Amino acid sequence: MTKTVYIAGLGLIGSSLALGIRRDHPDYRILGYNRGEASRSIALEKGIVDEATDDFAHFAGQADLIFLCVPIQQTIDFIKQLATLELKEGVLITDAGSTKQAIVEAAETYLVPKQLNFIGSHPMAGSHKSGAIAADINLFENAYFIFTPCKATKKDAIPRLTDLLSGLHARFIEIDAKEHDYVTSQVSHFPHVLASSLMNQAGSYAVDHPLTNNFAAGGFRDMTRIAESEPGMWTSILMTNPTSILERIEEFKERLDQVAEMLKTRDESGIWHFFEQGRLTRKEMEIHKRGGVDSFYDIFISVPDEEDTILKVLELLRGISVVNLRINEENRSDINGILQITFKNKEDLEKAARLIREQTSYQVYLD
Amino acid sequence: MTKTVYIAGLGLIGSSLALGIRRDHPDYRILGYNRGEASRSIALEKGIVDEATDDFAHFAGQADLIFLCVPIQQTIDFIKQLATLELKEGVLITDAGSTKQAIVEAAETYLVPKQLNFIGSHPMAGSHKSGAIAADINLFENAYFIFTPCKATKKDAIPRLTDLLSGLHARFIEIDAKEHDYVTSQVSHFPHVLASSLMNQAGSYAVDHPLTNNFAAGGFRDMTRIAESEPGMWTSILMTNPTSILERIEEFKERLDQVAEMLKTRDESGIWHFFEQGRLTRKEMEIHKRGGVDSFYDIFISVPDEEDTILKVLELLRGISVVNLRINEENRSDINGILQITFKNKEDLEKAARLIREQTSYQVYLD
């Protein structure tokens, strides 16, 4: 049984994991490493960890389970370091990196010879907040929590982790590290390259066409939002998943060539089908709905364009935690706007739907 | 003086223009054309127009000003048709198309020989609503309203239009049709191609990698949102602005090649600078702020992550029209969330800021 958990990296992910572990295992001892003092102190003050250090090796030998929640390159460095340390018999090592193959390869190279037990993890959750001060016991609720077993993984790894992490209320899923990196290259890493490239292109175009800075509207804003992310993390992701991203780039260039060809040959029907295909694919993908990694529960309310409508709806929902809300900007052919409200769980969602249906005449859609 | 205005196309744009014209010119006669019966009837019932027809030629001869608010190809067809009709002396013709060069060329070809007065227009506003039923007198408030003069444009065109449209409270700006199409290709048309291409790529990737459908998160969702737009309008835009879009495609492929090269040569610093450049460019572009074509007024409130926070804020703002609101998802390093609320005008924005500052301890940012 795991009794002592060592969490290396007390940022948003590491400290939220600690809270989630404590929920179902209040008797476990949780130790923490963090290089920076701020999150280390906060984690101690808030009782997120029982003890904390700025020297990674310090607690490594005491742990039944080691969770590496540091940047990708540091995760790899710590894996190398763990192979040199005196560790507890039966210790299980895992991580929380956004790419998996490079980390898994490091584990196979350095931990297999020492017969150490390692499995890759990727808890697919995040927030606009960071640091231990933002620790959230519900961060992983309904989020995908991906395990990527490898040659260093022993049979007990997944049962031990799902037991340890039961308090996260996450959706555990097991896939190959390679497949993880393929899929995330398509839905996350390559889109990031697109967003930054578009932003850079527009910036460069604005030199000779200054109104570029003024005429950018909602669509452009949405498409480039992620270009404002912190560059360091994304550089690490690109550096550790180059093959998949290169493949996505080459394939995407072929798609652009096809559009260019249709433009050159004035293939109006082809262009229409290109757009229509995108529209249908997105509808089928159901990324509006719960089930994506955001793992939130959304309600869609058709509301009239009147003053205080949002206030009226929120008054009905008083006491129910609202994760986010927005007036849906997508083109619609009806007069009412669609107020989209995101809840944390199914219970809140259903309670909200019932209240709105009972007390207003607004149409309510749950997906 | 313009006394009779003929609006061809009583969709959202045409009928909102009619309401805006009436605000400062209640004595003008407004005639409308619409092919479909629904918006025609609604426009009559709501008094948006005084008379309406489904035969474009019917009212053309009575108008001092003709506003073509129909799809791009139909705008071009109507321009051709107007050259064959008996029109009033001094009639001014304009349009509302999303691309300008093809329309301006049609005007130069067909209207110049008849010495007819034409100027291109592009009111840069929209909504998720459509049809006369969604007509909104404030739709163009603070929006860019672009004029593209051409060889068919007489000196009185812009003064007459700015007088006619003073009730829109729009920001009038005059640019060359070619420059309009260049800039919009960069900030709107080409991004649309990117969004649909990414959506199609993900759909195709999901065939062999089914988790693509599950792991798509917020960034992917934002980047592909516009791929769900109605394909017809975007096909017309591509068909009438092919040169600029082709140029953006080719230039973008070179940018992708540069990223690919950095991946192949493991140029970590180059990749970091690529992302950092995008981040800085976007910050400088200030598309978070008012001044973009959305022309909305945004307030940013740093709020604690507590239940009913949004409700409390909206209660303070009771009676002030809220265009949209959301919890800002961009990565931030502080603990509070950022509640972003969009207002219709400066007065509402300033009133809201004052109320929140007076009655809460939340930090309020106006840009």
Side-chain angles (χ1 to χ4, degrees), chain B residues 133-145:
Chain B
I133 200 163
D136 177 2
I137 195 169
N138 296 314
L139 184 65
F140 305 103
E141 197 162 312
N142 297 306
Y144 283 108
F145 197 110

Side-chain angles (χ1 to χ4, degrees), chain A residues 182 185 242-252, chain B residues 201 205 209:
Chain A
Y182 285 150
S185 78
T243 315
S244 303
I245 297 168
L246 276 169
E247 195 208 76
R248 297 296 82 209
I249 288 175
E250 290 309 314
E251 206 266 1
F252 196 82
Chain B
Q201 186 187 40
Y205 204 64
H209 305 277

Side-chain angles (χ1 to χ4, degrees), chain A residues 179 183, chain B residues 205-215:
Chain A
E179 186 64 18
V183 170
Chain B
Y205 204 64
V207 174
D208 287 331
H209 305 277
L211 287 167
T212 303
N213 287 321
N214 302 98
F215 289 172

Side-chain angles (χ1 to χ4, degrees), chain A residues 190-331:
Chain A
F190 173 62
H192 224 92
V193 170
L194 277 187
S196 296
S197 298
L198 177 60
M199 197 59 242
N200 285 333
Q201 186 187 40
S204 156
Y205 205 64
V207 175
D208 286 331
H209 304 277
L211 287 168
T212 303
N213 287 323
N214 301 97
F215 289 172
F220 185 89
R221 182 160 54 190
D222 280 355
M223 288 198 66
T224 56
R225 183 177 64 79
I226 52 176
E228 276 197 42
S229 306
E230 197 278 305
M233 176 182 158
W234 288 96
T235 303
S236 300
I237 287 172
L238 260 62
M239 291 298 289
T240 52
N241 196 17
T243 315
S244 303
I245 297 168
L246 276 169
E247 195 208 76
R248 297 296 82 209
I249 288 175
E250 290 309 314
E251 206 266 1
F252 196 82
K253 280 169 56 193
E254 288 168 23
R255 291 181 183 272
L256 289 180
D257 283 339
Q258 286 163 20
V259 175
E261 188 57 28
M262 291 189 287
L263 279 168
K264 284 176 193 158
T265 58
R266 303 200 60 68
D267 180 0
E268 185 163 1
S269 154
I271 292 171
W272 190 89
H273 283 287
F274 160 76
F275 282 127
E276 177 67 359
Q277 180 66 31
R279 195 179 69 83
L280 294 176
T281 307
R282 194 172 192 274
K283 278 188 176 291
E284 277 165 25
M285 210 178 183
E286 306 194 335
I287 49 182
H288 311 280
K289 303 176 192 178
R290 59 177 174 269
V293 287
D294 286 336
S295 319
F296 291 132
Y297 291 93
D298 283 12
I299 197 172
F300 299 84
I301 309 160
S302 186
V303 292
D305 186 17
E306 289 166 7
E307 251 165 41
D308 299 331
T309 304
I310 305 169
L311 176 58
K312 279 174 207 156
V313 170
L314 289 183
E315 277 171 347
L316 290 177
L317 306 184
R318 191 185 294 272
I320 302 178
S321 186
V322 167
V323 174
N324 212 332
L325 76 173
R326 68 185 302 181
I327 305 285
N328 213 310
E329 290 166 37
E330 306 194 23
N331 289 319

Side-chain angles (χ1 to χ4, degrees), chain A residues 1-5 29 31 59-66 82 85-93 114-117 154 160:
Chain A
M1 281 303 291
T2 300
K3 291 290 163 69
T4 300
V5 179
R29 194 166 154 244
L31 308 172
F59 287 133
Q62 301 181 30
D64 299 297
L65 190 131
I66 299 173
L82 285 171
L85 297 174
E86 191 93 12
L87 299 180
K88 218 167 157 177
E89 169 98 33
V91 63
L92 172 59
I93 303 162
K114 304 282 174 178
Q115 294 174 29
L116 285 165
N117 192 1
K154 296 181 183 168
R160 278 174 67 183

Side-chain angles (χ1 to χ4, degrees), chain B residues 204-263:
Chain B
S204 157
Y205 204 64
V207 174
D208 287 331
H209 305 277
L211 287 167
T212 303
N213 287 321
N214 302 98
F215 289 172
F220 185 89
R221 183 160 52 191
D222 280 354
M223 287 198 66
T224 56
R225 184 177 63 80
I226 54 176
E228 276 199 42
S229 306
E230 197 278 306
M233 177 182 158
W234 288 96
T235 303
S236 300
I237 287 173
L238 261 63
M239 292 297 290
T240 52
N241 195 17
T243 315
S244 303
I245 298 168
L246 276 169
E247 195 208 76
R248 297 296 81 207
I249 288 176
E250 291 308 315
E251 206 265 0
F252 196 81
K253 281 168 57 193
E254 289 168 22
R255 289 181 183 273
L256 290 181
D257 283 339
Q258 286 163 19
V259 175
E261 189 58 28
M262 291 188 288
L263 280 169

